[in-house]
Amino acid sequence: MSSKIKVGVLGATGMVGQRYIKLLEDHPWFEVTYVAASPRSAGKAYKDAVANRWLIGAEIPAGVQNLIVEDANDASKAIGKCQFVFSALEMGKEEIKALEAAYAAEGIPVVSNASANRWTEDVPMLIPEINYAHLDVIAEQKKHHGWDKGFIAVKPNCSLQTYMMPIFALQQAGYPIKRMVVTTLQATSGAGYPGVPSFDMIDNIVPYIGGEEEKTEKECLKILGKVEGGKIVNAAGPLVSATCTRVPVIDGHTATVSLEFDLPEDKKPSLEEIEKVWTSFTSVPQELNLPSAPVHPIVVRHEENRPQPRRDRETEKGMACVIGRLRECPVFDVKFVALSHNTKRGAAMGGILNAELLKAKGFFG
């Protein structure tokens, strides 16, 4: 009998759900034993539920092909079949909030990819290298709801993964940031499937993604905040101005960042000092040797034309932030280009890393 932790995937037939299932195929700690989706897929073998719409480009894992898809709307179906669930639900935010709470109430922890609970003040929105201390709020969350074993933890918007680690590394090193201007160039896979119509994307850039700029400007403040009084209190800064665009790239979100330090001129770091901070940065996932954690969370390239999505998105198995073009900024202090894999670090694999952290810290006991 397998000694792995049994896990479920909610929204298992969608693009993110499929990626969870593929990435978990040979995971050393977790094993998919439960899949759930919409009522139209319920009752079918998983391989039949995703027939002609398996999007990941490899075979459906053998251990999942014949699992019977359950109705995700019935949380009680998961009892006894898995110890926690990954949520890749695709429905209205209020519906997702209610459903994730229903699983938690049944004693089933929820590690969510959905945005519905990102602003719930006692739900940690995790980038494990940055705000691992936010796990402390889970005890208050469980107490607040009267939950025993169940709880909810979420990951942030995929575009934030592109530049949050380098920002945090600088602040942790004693170089606080006052304000920054961010322009994201986001891959089409970030829109899910079927996503943006091809007529809009081929030979084109779409300079608007609904809700993305607000997420980019605000979510970073919760991630950089602190647990106080049983809730997460947002950081006061930095002030962020964001422009979010959709570009004809399949995978890999890019961001151009200009930032100003909140320091006197003689205390601001040099480009060499900034690079040293980034290349030496590690955190709790590396200390714990979590299976999905990159050895080098931040990778700096010196070529004048890097990073590029096709060349750099798989760095550290798609889990690193890749930075290039670090240089002085004539308006602020410095500017750079950053890249991350939006469907790995920014989605399913980032969720798996969150679960690994939770497991290592004893939350699935």
Side-chain angles (χ1 to χ4, degrees):
M1 180 178 292
S2 173
S3 60
K4 294 182 180 181
I5 294 175
K6 295 179 179 180
V7 307
V9 179
L10 311 181
T13 59
M15 177 182 275
V16 176
Q18 290 180 26
R19 194 168 289 277
Y20 268 117
I21 285 168
K22 188 61 184 174
L23 289 170
L24 289 164
E25 183 175 13
D26 297 309
H27 195 280
W29 293 358
F30 305 141
E31 177 184 14
V32 177
T33 58
Y34 181 80
V35 289
S38 66
R40 66 178 177 272
S41 296
K44 299 178 182 178
Y46 185 76
K47 64 182 179 182
D48 297 325
V50 296
N52 300 317
R53 58 192 183 100
W54 176 256
L55 302 166
I56 304 305
E59 293 298 318
I60 302 170
V64 178
Q65 287 186 18
N66 294 311
L67 290 179
I68 300 302
V69 180
E70 300 288 354
D71 183 354
N73 294 292
D74 187 351
S76 67
K77 294 282 188 179
I79 298 173
K81 296 176 183 175
C82 57
Q83 290 174 252
F84 73 90
V85 293
F86 291 105
S87 172
L89 294 167
E90 298 176 2
M91 53 178 67
K93 285 190 177 182
E94 292 306 314
E95 294 175 285
I96 292 174
K97 286 185 74 170
L99 194 49
E100 290 182 347
Y103 278 86
E106 295 286 3
I108 301 169
V110 179
V111 181
S112 183
N113 191 77
S115 64
N117 272 300
R118 287 179 187 160
W119 284 107
T120 305
E121 60 186 11
D122 60 3
V123 171
M125 181 165 59
L126 296 169
I127 297 178
E129 285 88 350
I130 300 176
N131 59 336
Y132 48 84
H134 287 191
L135 294 181
D136 292 346
V137 83
I138 289 175
E140 291 297 326
Q141 178 195 137
K142 292 164 74 173
K143 181 180 178 181
H144 172 239
H145 290 281
W147 295 337
D148 180 15
K149 295 181 179 179
F151 60 85
I152 301 169
V154 304
K155 55 164 292 304
N157 188 46
C158 53
S159 65
L160 270 74
Q161 315 278 348
T162 307
Y163 56 87
M164 278 303 298
M165 276 198 290
I167 297 306
F168 172 74
L170 289 170
Q171 301 218 125
Q172 187 184 49
Y175 303 125
I177 295 163
K178 181 178 181 180
R179 54 183 178 168
M180 47 196 266
V181 174
V182 177
T183 299
T184 66
L185 297 84
Q186 297 181 213
T188 57
S189 57
Y193 182 83
V196 185
S198 59
F199 192 82
D200 289 334
M201 284 315 311
I202 296 173
D203 189 34
N204 201 28
I205 292 173
V206 179
Y208 172 75
I209 306 172
E212 288 292 299
E213 291 170 3
E214 293 84 353
K215 294 174 187 176
T216 301
E217 293 173 353
K218 302 297 184 183
E219 286 187 15
C220 59
L221 301 179
K222 182 175 182 179
I223 293 166
L224 295 173
K226 295 181 179 180
V227 176
E228 296 178 0
K231 62 183 180 180
I232 300 168
V233 178
N234 291 353
L239 181 65
V240 179
S241 174
T243 301
C244 296
T245 70
R246 188 77 69 192
V247 297
V249 170
I250 296 173
D251 288 322
H253 285 355
T254 302
T256 64
V257 181
S258 296
L259 62 84
E260 179 182 21
F261 292 105
D262 192 10
L263 289 167
E265 199 64 36
D266 62 343
K267 300 293 185 181
K268 294 179 180 180
S270 66
L271 298 182
E272 292 76 15
E273 289 170 328
I274 291 170
E275 181 172 341
K276 184 177 180 180
V277 167
W278 286 341
T279 56
S280 63
F281 175 74
T282 60
S283 188
V284 168
Q286 289 70 41
E287 295 168 9
L288 295 174
N289 197 28
L290 300 181
S292 299
V295 176
H296 305 288
I298 302 173
V299 174
V300 178
R301 301 203 64 103
H302 297 101
E303 301 92 331
E304 64 183 8
N305 63 346
R306 301 283 280 277
Q308 296 179 20
R310 274 177 28 191
R311 294 185 177 187
D312 298 307
R313 61 191 169 207
E314 294 293 344
T315 301
E316 293 278 342
K317 298 181 180 179
M319 291 296 283
C321 172
V322 185
I323 300 177
R325 302 207 65 215
L326 174 62
R327 60 214 191 274
E328 294 181 354
C329 176
V331 177
F332 287 171
D333 289 319
V334 296
K335 53 185 176 179
F336 59 92
V337 179
L339 169 75
S340 68
H341 198 308
N342 61 297
T343 63
K344 290 189 176 179
R345 168 59 88 157
M349 206 161 179
I352 293 169
L353 183 61
N354 285 349
E356 292 168 357
L357 177 65
L358 288 160
K359 187 263 186 188
K361 293 294 187 178
F363 283 87
F364 298 143

